[in-house]
Amino acid sequence: MKIDYSTKTTAQLLSNLNMIKVLIVALLIILSFLIGISIYGMLTKDDNATFIATLTVGLCCSATLPMQFMSKKAIKAELIKREETL
């Protein structure tokens, strides 16, 4: 599903870009923490089932990061295109 950014205003694009940047940082922090705790738990605790499940959730949720980076890149490209036409 490709989003057409040419129909949005520059203010909306800048707002979306800032929101995506915050989301990427938050996802990276939360996923790093989740995966780190999972690995630490698997190495030090005897009951690994909980930590394996937590690691699986963290790795599966990290699949959303490439989508966020692609959206960020598309918005930046649209903003650059608009600056060139001015």
Side-chain angles (χ1 to χ4, degrees):
M1 182 173 125
K2 184 125 176 151
I3 299 173
D4 186 22
Y5 291 112
S6 62
T7 59
K8 295 190 178 207
T9 65
T10 303
Q12 288 175 331
L13 288 177
L14 289 173
S15 174
N16 284 350
L17 184 62
N18 289 335
M19 182 182 61
I20 287 174
K21 286 180 182 179
V22 169
L23 184 65
I24 287 172
V25 170
L27 276 172
L28 285 173
I29 290 170
I30 291 169
L31 291 174
S32 299
F33 181 73
L34 186 65
I35 292 171
I37 291 293
S38 300
I39 292 172
Y40 174 77
M42 284 191 294
L43 293 175
T44 60
K45 305 292 180 184
D46 290 334
D47 185 23
N48 285 338
T50 303
F51 296 109
I52 291 173
T54 309
L55 181 66
T56 304
V57 169
L59 293 175
C60 290
C61 289
S62 66
T64 62
L65 282 172
M67 277 192 328
Q68 299 304 322
F69 283 116
M70 287 188 298
S71 295
K72 180 180 170 185
K73 183 179 176 182
I75 291 173
K76 280 186 175 182
E78 179 65 28
L79 287 171
I80 290 171
K81 185 175 108 178
R82 289 183 185 191
E83 287 177 4
E84 290 175 354
T85 58
L86 292 178

